[in-house]
Amino acid sequence: MAKTKVVSSKTHTKTQLDDYANQHNPNNKAYKARIQNDKMTKQRSKKALAHKAKKIAKRQAEFDEKYGLSYPLEWFCYSNPFD
């Protein structure tokens, strides 16, 4: 069974407990704002990863052009021939 997250009243104040409850209640504005922020953050990180992948591919192409390596290494260069 999955372990659920709980906030103890022994370690948190009343306002902290209320804030936590508001952020996990689907009928509350704080919950909707948190979900929207999560979506925007994920979109930005996906764009950043795509940009980084393009940058790496461009750098690899420049390296290949400079050193004459125009083909990727085959899988058997890294594998054990006795498998």
Side-chain angles (χ1 to χ4, degrees):
M1 180 146 218
K3 189 174 183 180
T4 59
K5 293 184 179 182
V6 294
V7 179
S8 173
S9 63
K10 294 180 182 179
T11 58
H12 294 80
T13 64
K14 174 72 171 138
T15 55
Q16 289 174 328
L17 293 172
D18 292 342
D19 291 341
Y20 181 84
N22 288 338
Q23 290 179 0
H24 292 82
N25 179 3
N27 297 324
N28 197 295
K29 287 192 290 186
Y31 175 84
K32 293 174 185 170
R34 183 178 60 88
I35 296 299
Q36 185 66 25
N37 288 338
D38 289 346
K39 287 181 184 177
M40 294 303 290
T41 303
K42 288 178 184 176
Q43 287 176 356
R44 280 192 219 122
S45 65
K46 285 181 185 178
K47 288 179 184 178
L49 288 174
H51 178 71
K52 187 175 181 180
K54 287 180 185 178
K55 193 174 184 180
I56 290 172
K58 183 178 179 182
R59 192 179 320 142
Q60 183 66 37
E62 290 171 356
F63 178 83
D64 292 347
E65 183 180 326
K66 183 177 181 181
Y67 294 105
L69 193 66
S70 61
Y71 55 90
L73 296 175
E74 297 293 332
W75 63 270
F76 50 79
C77 294
Y78 300 106
S79 68
N80 184 358
F82 300 107
D83 282 345

